[in-house]
């Protein structure tokens, strides 16, 4: 049996997404076996992030500085703004290096069932950013869920009076996807969004 401290570490790791109790125990054993090369650097990195973690006052990203590294980057296109539901969505899009502009994190999506209303999200700050001018395009990068699409529709209504181009991420067939395995909603969206060849 492990000590109460080691068991507490296993339980803490098991609460992380994608790790269950068995995976957490394996991770703890790995950390203990490689204390100098793995455990100590992990502890240092966790402490550094814990000491400096903050939410960006401009876009809502989570970073170790405010404004975040994306908002401070002078190479970013100030005229393009991509709106996402959560920080994880921002990180996923930015990893692709395909969007050259700036971001805005809503902090969730509208949901009547969960009691999430417009005032619970960073929608007013988004409208203020657009109202301040200098933005030519707003990309609504909401998830392809009912709540995500409801949020996108609401945002489109709030932003329709501004002189901007409003766009939304395309939905449909995934690269490498086989028609036989796709759900009806994905197929319907792909058919609606079809475009001519050449």
């Amino acid at each position: 049996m492990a000590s109460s401290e080691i068991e507490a570490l296993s339980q803490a790791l098991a609460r992380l997404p994608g790790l269950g109790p068995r995976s957490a125990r394996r991770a703890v054993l790995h950390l203990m076996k490689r204390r100098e090369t793995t455990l100590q650097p992990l502890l240092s990195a966790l402490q550094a992030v814990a000491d400096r973690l903050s939410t960006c006052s401009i876009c809502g990203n989570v970073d170790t500085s405010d404004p975040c590294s994306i908002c401070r980057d002078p190479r970013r296109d100030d005229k393009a703004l991509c709106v996402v539901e959560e920080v994880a969505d921002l990180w996923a899009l930015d990893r692709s290096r395909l969007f050259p502009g700036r971001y805005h994190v809503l902090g969730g999506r509208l949901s009547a069932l969960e009691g999430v209303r417009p005032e619970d999200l960073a929608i007013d700050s988004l409208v203020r950013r657009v109202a301040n001018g200098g933005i030519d395009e707003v990309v609504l990068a909401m998830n392809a869920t009912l709540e995500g699409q409801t949020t996108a529709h609401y945002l489109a209504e709030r932003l329709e009076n501004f002189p901007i181009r409003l766009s939304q991420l395309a939905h449909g067939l995934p690269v490498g996807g086989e028609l036989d395995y796709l759900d009806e909603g994905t197929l319907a969206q792909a058919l609606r969004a079809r475009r001519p060849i050449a």
Side-chain angles (χ1 to χ4, degrees):
M1 293 299 286
S3 70
S4 59
E5 293 87 358
I6 293 173
E7 188 57 34
L9 177 58
S10 291
Q11 290 175 4
L13 288 176
R15 287 193 291 270
L16 295 174
L19 285 181
R22 290 177 59 193
S23 298
R25 281 193 294 277
R26 283 196 300 273
V28 168
L29 285 171
H30 177 80
L31 291 169
M32 289 188 317
K33 281 183 184 177
R34 293 175 178 82
R35 185 181 302 174
E36 297 304 318
T37 59
T38 307
L39 181 59
Q40 291 303 330
L42 177 62
L43 288 172
S44 298
L46 284 171
Q47 190 60 56
V49 168
D51 291 343
R52 300 181 59 204
L53 191 64
S54 65
T55 301
C56 180
S57 58
I58 297 172
C59 73
N61 187 17
V62 177
D63 204 340
T64 55
S65 62
D66 183 17
C68 71
S69 56
I70 292 174
C71 288
R72 287 192 329 267
D73 188 347
R75 298 168 297 181
R76 295 277 178 167
D77 181 4
D78 290 329
K79 296 177 188 273
L81 185 65
C82 182
V83 182
V84 295
E85 293 176 18
E86 300 287 354
V87 172
D89 303 326
L90 184 157
W91 290 2
L93 282 168
D94 205 51
R95 257 193 326 271
S96 74
R97 300 195 190 291
L98 296 173
F99 183 73
R102 309 239 179 235
Y103 292 93
H104 187 88
V105 180
L106 293 175
R109 60 187 166 269
L110 297 175
S111 174
L113 290 175
E114 296 172 13
V116 181
R117 302 162 304 171
E119 53 270 21
D120 298 325
L121 304 175
I123 294 174
D124 288 340
S125 59
L126 168 65
V127 173
R128 280 193 300 274
R129 284 181 81 178
V130 173
N132 286 338
I135 295 173
D136 292 340
E137 180 181 15
V138 174
V139 179
L140 301 178
M142 307 294 106
N143 289 312
T145 61
L146 178 61
E147 293 87 357
Q149 296 312 297
T150 300
T151 305
H153 181 71
Y154 179 81
L155 292 175
E157 286 181 352
R158 289 285 305 267
L159 298 172
E160 69 184 350
N161 294 325
F162 293 100
I164 58 169
R165 184 172 62 252
L166 198 56
S167 60
Q168 187 172 7
L169 291 183
H171 298 169
L173 299 177
V175 174
E178 296 183 28
L179 296 179
D180 190 34
Y181 294 105
L182 298 176
D183 62 279
E184 288 80 17
T186 301
L187 286 170
Q189 184 63 37
L191 281 170
R192 280 195 296 270
R194 66 187 182 275
R195 53 188 164 79
I197 298 174

